[in-house]
């Protein structure tokens, strides 16, 4: 076998046979050929059979991430470019005159483990979140910068998961110049995105279809948007004719941009919006004590459980906010409730929401199960890609 290899323990090739792209440290029997961080290695079964080409990550519990299951595939700049082009081409139907932003590359599910690329108009924001992604940064940047209409590639590789790969945070321009203001349209609504200081890459593109749903549901409803960030669901509700929208976030910066975003859309009724900078847990409690009532509540909290180890504490937090939301809803009111925690399964999330309704003395009906928009595809072999779960619940 030419080149470095990871030889697996007997029986540990099973997940690779199912085309799951991760090899955990415990599955590795030995490393041959002294590969460096991010180098391409062959994954080899205990019987010596070649299984896949993968990126080696010696610091991480996820010791290797598969680039290709094809025998003889060469992992080089051209391989990376083809994968980026394939992923970007799949998003072309999702970009049009009313939608100028989409996730172009969604990591493992696009065959590019650890690579996230979000397009905001002519700017692409790149996150390299694993050793292999880091190793091929230059090829990724070249491929993204060569996409039609892209004028800047900006890096936001400052997510905490990089530490697990032994990688320091990295941010800054990688190709071209970042324009002073990055503006997008989503469903015809204008937003400014801050790729430099915003959360993640600047905007939560995964909620695009759910913001559309809120727009459809909001008509004449008194709406509450907790964890509003830069106002995505707020503006969608206003566009849908909400009677009023109260928005809560603990980040003053996010709220400042949310207000600015509302001002960017003069057709929306700004007088119907109120903004509160507060801890949502405390503010929902205050609203309940004040006897406030809503017809539509959106709960899109941050990741309380990044991994299964945090699940219990996270479950309590989810239950707490959902319980308060049920209490604030009028009979017949609608709750859109989300979890973006990898450590909370869709099943567990539904149980938490059911428990919250029970404790609030409310009955609920699930009208729809919700997830991320299709620019965040989930490879069938990679269920971990399905991090965003949501429910549309009607309070009976
Ligand atoms: N729904 C938003 C994205 C929400 S991201 C959209 O469509 O764009 C989660 C938000 O929760 C962030 O803006 C973060 O600032 C906020 N947040 C985190 N903890 C909070 C807390 N305890 N109370 C209120 N907001 C909080």
């Amino acid at each position: 076998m030419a080149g470095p290899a990871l030889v697996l323990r007997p029986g540990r090739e099973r997940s690779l046979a199912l085309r799951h792209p991760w090899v955990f440290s415990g599955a590795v029997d030995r490393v041959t050929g002294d590969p460096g961080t991010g180098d391409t290695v062959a994954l080899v079964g205990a019987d010596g059979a070649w299984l896949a080409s993968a990126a080696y990550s010696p610091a991480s519990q996820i010791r290797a991430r598969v680039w290709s299951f094809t025998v003889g595939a060469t992992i080089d700049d051209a391989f990376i470019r083809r994968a980026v082009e394939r992923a970007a081409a799949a998003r072309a139907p999702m970009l049009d005159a009313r939608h100028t932003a989409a996730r172009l590359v969604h990591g493992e599910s696009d065959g590019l483990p650890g690579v996230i690329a979000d397009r905001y108009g002519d700017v692409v924001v790149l996150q390299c979140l694993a050793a292999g992604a880091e190793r091929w940064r230059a090829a990724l940047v070249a491929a993204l910068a060569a996409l039609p209409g892209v004028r800047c590639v900006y890096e936001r590789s400052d997510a905490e998961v990089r530490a697990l790969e032994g990688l320091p945070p990295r941010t800054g321009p990688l190709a071209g110049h970042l324009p002073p203001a990055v503006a997008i349209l989503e469903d015809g609504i204008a937003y400014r995105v801050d790729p430099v200081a915003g959360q993640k890459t600047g905007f939560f593109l995964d909620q695009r279809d759910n913001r559309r749903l809120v727009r459809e549901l909001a008509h004449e409803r008194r709406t509450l948007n907790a964890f509003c960030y830069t106002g995505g669901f707020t503006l969608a509700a206003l566009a849908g004719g909400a009677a009023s929208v109260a928005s809560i976030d603990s980040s003053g910066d996010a709220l400042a941009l949310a207000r600015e975003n509302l001002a960017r859309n003069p057709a929306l009724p700004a007088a119907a919006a109120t903004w509160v900078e507060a801890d949502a847990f405390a503010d929902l409690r205050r609203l309940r004590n004040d006897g406030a009532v809503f017809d539509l509540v959106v709960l899109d909290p941050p990741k309380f459980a990044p991994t299964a180890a945090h699940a219990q504490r996270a479950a309590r937090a989810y239950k707490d906010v959902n319980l308060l939301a049920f209490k604030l809803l009028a009979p017949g009111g609608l709750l859109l409730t989300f979890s973006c925690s990898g450590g909370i399964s869709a099943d567990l999330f539904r149980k938490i929401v059911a428990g919250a309704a029970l404790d609030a003395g409310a009955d609920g009906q699930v009208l729809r199960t919700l997830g991320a928009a299709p620019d965040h595809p989930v490879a069938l072999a990679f269920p971990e890609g399905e991090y965003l779960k949501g429910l549309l619940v009607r309070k009976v």
Side-chain angles (χ1 to χ4, degrees), residues 199 204 211 227-229 232-233 249-251 278-281 300-302:
Q199 299 184 27
F204 291 87
R211 284 188 286 259
F227 310 95
C228 69
Y229 188 49
F233 282 108
D249 203 281
S250 58
S251 161
D279 171 45
F281 293 85
D300 186 21

Side-chain angles (χ1 to χ4, degrees), residues 1 52 62 96-97 232 289 340 343 353:
M1 182 96 27
I62 304 172
D96 56 35
N289 293 340
C340 59
V353 175

Side-chain angles (χ1 to χ4, degrees), residues 273-291:
T274 52
W275 307 95
V276 179
E277 181 178 340
D279 171 45
F281 293 85
D283 207 56
L284 292 176
R285 221 161 249 119
R286 174 189 66 83
L287 286 165
R288 187 199 55 192
N289 293 340
D290 290 354

Side-chain angles (χ1 to χ4, degrees), residues 85-145:
E85 286 173 355
R86 196 181 316 121
R91 274 58 172 196
M94 303 170 207
L95 291 162
D96 56 35
R98 287 175 60 81
H99 300 88
T100 63
R103 174 155 294 187
L104 298 182
V105 179
H106 190 47
E108 277 76 350
S109 293
D110 277 309
L112 289 166
V115 180
I116 298 294
D118 286 342
R119 179 164 192 162
Y120 301 119
D122 51 14
V123 173
V124 173
V125 182
L126 172 68
Q127 293 185 308
C128 296
L129 303 178
E134 179 87 354
R135 161 69 181 77
W136 293 98
R137 173 189 282 103
L140 289 162
V141 174
L144 290 165

Side-chain angles (χ1 to χ4, degrees), residues 186 191 199-200 202-208 211 225-234 248-252 254-255 276-283 298-304 321 338 340:
E186 182 191 80
Y191 298 90
Q199 299 184 27
K200 302 279 180 69
F203 199 72
F204 291 87
L205 290 170
D206 52 359
Q207 291 285 22
R208 166 167 155 176
R211 284 188 286 259
N225 180 16
F227 310 95
C228 69
Y229 188 49
T230 55
F233 282 108
T234 305
I248 308 166
D249 203 281
S250 58
S251 161
L255 285 169
V276 179
E277 181 178 340
D279 171 45
F281 293 85
D283 207 56
V298 180
L299 294 180
D300 186 21
K303 209 191 301 182
F304 293 140
V321 278
F338 297 96
C340 59

Side-chain angles (χ1 to χ4, degrees), residues 36-39 55-58 65 67 77 80 112-116 126-141 155-159 161-163 165-171 174:
T37 298
D39 283 354
Y56 181 51
S57 187
R65 297 181 195 233
W67 291 122
D77 287 7
I80 299 292
L112 289 166
V115 180
I116 298 294
L126 172 68
Q127 293 185 308
C128 296
L129 303 178
E134 179 87 354
R135 161 69 181 77
W136 293 98
R137 173 189 282 103
L140 289 162
V141 174
E155 176 160 39
R156 277 300 299 277
S157 301
D158 54 349
V161 290
R162 285 215 4 141
E165 299 275 321
L167 302 169
R170 268 187 72 150
T171 60
L174 294 167

Side-chain angles (χ1 to χ4, degrees), residues 185-223:
L185 286 177
E186 182 191 80
D187 209 5
I189 301 173
Y191 298 90
R192 185 168 71 79
V193 174
D194 183 355
V196 177
Q199 299 184 27
K200 302 279 180 69
T201 67
F203 199 72
F204 291 87
L205 290 170
D206 52 359
Q207 291 285 22
R208 166 167 155 176
D209 289 1
N210 300 320
R211 284 188 286 259
R212 173 77 222 179
L213 180 60
V214 160
R215 187 173 184 161
E216 286 161 13
L217 296 172
H219 190 64
E220 290 182 354
R221 290 186 187 266
R222 293 163 292 179
T223 301

